[in-house]
Amino acid sequence: MSAAKDLILPGATLGVMGGGQLGRMFVHAAQSMGYRTAVLDADATSPAGLVSHEHIRTPYLDDAGLAELARVSAAITTEFENVPAAALDQLAATRPVAPAGSAVAVCQDRAREKAHFVGCGVDCAPHALIETPEQLAAITDDLLPGILKTARLGYDGKGQVRVKTRAELEAAWADLKHVPCVLEKMLPLAYEVSVIVARGRDGQVVHFPLQQNLHRDGILAVTQVPAPNVTAAVSQQAYQFAHQIATSLNYVGVLCIEFFVLTDGRIVANEMAPRPHNSGHHTIDACDVSQFELQVRAMTGLPLVEPVLHSPCVMLNLLGDLWFPVVNGQRVAEQREPDWAAVLALSGTHLHLYGKTEARVARKMGHLTITGDTPEAARATALKAAAILGIEPF
Ligand code: ATP
Ligand code: MG
């Protein structure tokens, strides 16, 4: 399609599939650069729908909704990993879509994702696909203890069961209703990191400085940049892997790859997300260009630049739990607003809330980025903010 080669300039409308917080921050970035936006999401109060010029309220596979999104948009992206690849393919018949449905489809399926890592020379955890009782029976003991993960639709640690024995594995697969799964060997993690890259239509790849991530209960809790524990050799290896993965997918847009650094220093790929990522939210306040702006640039054909971290930072995820503090050993029943004024009295704090009115335990409500002159200063302020909010120290 020749239109895909043309620059899409400010004033045009950019479409996004999905109305969550990633879509909201994408919309903010696009609008600040002078674009109009259109969001497709069935939820009338979706975080991105609330701030977009246009909000098409239909399911992802609704023909009329997709036709309307294509009609109003000059180019389309996605903010939600599980948007059906078929919907992206349908849009791509008439409009440039970045990333392409084919790349998103690889990321949606853990088995395909791992095959892709291996295919481009990137190590991942030893694993096996379990789709049939025969495959279950053929599992060798060296994959135990392991983690059984559904091949599709897992996020924030959902759809995962840790298993120590063959009996536990069988029970776990039954609990997961025998859907296709991947069993991964449990690895000794030293720490977790991620790399966010952006790749343009011309094949140029740029990356953000590597992030170090702390997960709690399977959900990202804290991101620190620069990564405190990472050697230059490990980061170089991670950047090289990330570039290889993006290029071999012929990817256009922002892509995040999560890695494990093992206790013996080896680095293995965990999974990837075909979109901006929670571990890159600090880029809004701590880098000279954000992951959301790079998504805009990549999809419109504008130049990419190598992002620079101008401030060491810490990002704290604000989960719904914080709206239900524990008082005298008991979680309060009525939702109450955290003490933002106390947090914002600390210099270097940048509050982002996603406009979700109902807080729920484990729901991502917002994030707080803390910048400082040095990593130590950012961390010290972040620990104060965490104490005010009731987030465990890190
Ligand atoms: P996301 O919200 O990032 O999509 P997810 O539900 O897809 O999460 P994973 O990233 O696969 O889940 O795993 C969640 C966390 O569980 C990891 O960040 C890591 O802490 C731990 N974990 C996953 N796989 C392994 C493994 N093979 N060995 C050790 N720990 C693991
Ligand atoms: Mg993950």
Side-chain angles (χ1 to χ4, degrees), residues 122-345:
V122 175
D123 293 337
C124 58
H127 62 278
L129 180 62
I130 302 180
E131 282 181 311
T132 65
E134 291 71 31
Q135 285 172 322
L136 178 71
I139 293 293
T140 47
D141 284 344
D142 58 306
L143 288 182
L144 296 171
I147 308 189
L148 186 67
K149 304 181 178 181
T150 58
R152 302 180 69 86
L153 300 175
Y155 71 100
D156 288 349
K158 294 188 176 70
Q160 300 199 0
V161 189
R162 294 180 179 219
V163 292
K164 289 201 201 71
T165 62
R166 198 163 275 278
E168 283 181 15
L169 172 62
E170 280 168 27
W173 196 41
D175 278 350
L176 294 172
K177 308 271 186 285
H178 297 128
V179 295
C181 284
V182 171
L183 175 68
E184 265 180 52
K185 186 178 175 63
M186 183 71 85
L187 298 175
L189 310 190
Y191 42 90
E192 298 187 55
V193 299
S194 57
V195 174
I196 295 172
V197 297
R199 185 169 180 277
R201 293 183 202 149
D202 60 357
Q204 185 196 0
V205 185
V206 299
H207 63 259
F208 287 94
L210 176 132
Q211 295 99 222
Q212 185 167 325
N213 304 320
L214 172 68
H215 293 82
R216 291 181 174 143
D217 299 327
I219 306 177
L220 181 66
V222 182
T223 293
Q224 298 181 78
V225 197
N229 301 100
V230 178
T231 62
V234 165
S235 349
Q236 280 315 318
Q237 180 70 81
Y239 296 141
Q240 193 195 327
F241 281 164
H243 281 237
Q244 270 165 242
I245 292 165
T247 301
S248 60
L249 280 171
N250 198 21
Y251 196 86
V252 178
V254 169
L255 174 73
C256 177
I257 296 122
E258 296 178 20
F259 295 97
F260 298 144
V261 181
L262 308 185
T263 46
D264 66 4
R266 278 189 310 132
I267 173 164
V268 301
N270 171 28
E271 58 170 0
M272 56 183 168
R275 49 170 173 76
H277 191 258
N278 196 168
S279 64
H281 289 355
H282 67 283
T283 61
I284 297 173
D285 301 300
C287 293
D288 62 347
V289 59
S290 77
Q291 60 171 347
F292 303 101
E293 178 173 343
L294 284 189
Q295 183 79 314
V296 173
R297 290 179 181 226
M299 73 188 287
T300 56
L302 287 171
L304 301 180
V305 285
E306 203 66 62
V308 174
L309 180 83
H310 56 67
S311 305
C313 65
V314 176
M315 190 277 314
L316 301 176
N317 253 351
L318 304 174
L319 300 182
D321 313 39
L322 307 183
W323 276 249
F324 300 95
V326 176
V327 178
N328 301 329
Q330 264 205 318
R331 214 177 253 297
V332 303
E334 289 263 310
Q335 165 171 338
R336 34 173 110 153
E337 202 66 16
D339 190 352
W340 304 130
V343 167
L344 292 171

Side-chain angles (χ1 to χ4, degrees), residues 105-136:
V106 174
C107 305
Q108 284 174 345
D109 185 311
R110 282 188 198 278
R112 288 189 66 187
E113 186 173 69
K114 287 198 160 43
H116 187 82
F117 290 151
V118 173
C120 54
V122 175
D123 293 337
C124 58
H127 62 278
L129 180 62
I130 302 180
E131 282 181 311
T132 65
E134 291 71 31
Q135 285 172 322
L136 178 71

Side-chain angles (χ1 to χ4, degrees), residues 3-132:
K5 295 199 179 65
D6 300 332
L7 280 183
I8 296 164
L9 292 170
T13 298
L14 303 182
V16 55
M17 291 290 280
Q21 60 267 17
L22 297 166
R24 180 179 172 102
M25 290 180 268
F26 168 82
V27 162
H28 285 153
Q31 291 179 345
S32 77
M33 293 171 78
Y35 290 94
R36 292 179 56 82
T37 60
V39 166
L40 187 146
D41 191 301
D43 177 1
T45 63
S46 74
L50 289 175
V51 297
S52 178
H53 292 94
E54 303 196 42
H55 180 185
I56 300 161
R57 295 178 200 169
T58 69
Y60 296 128
L61 283 168
D62 184 276
D63 281 332
L66 291 174
E68 177 62 7
L69 185 66
R71 190 184 68 77
V72 300
S73 306
I76 297 158
T77 187
T78 177
E79 66 100 44
F80 176 55
E81 184 162 346
N82 291 316
V83 162
L88 298 178
D89 291 343
Q90 196 171 326
L91 294 165
T94 55
R95 290 288 182 255
V97 173
S102 55
V104 173
V106 174
C107 305
Q108 284 174 345
D109 185 311
R110 282 188 198 278
R112 288 189 66 187
E113 186 173 69
K114 287 198 160 43
H116 187 82
F117 290 151
V118 173
C120 54
V122 175
D123 293 337
C124 58
H127 62 278
L129 180 62
I130 302 180
E131 282 181 311
T132 65

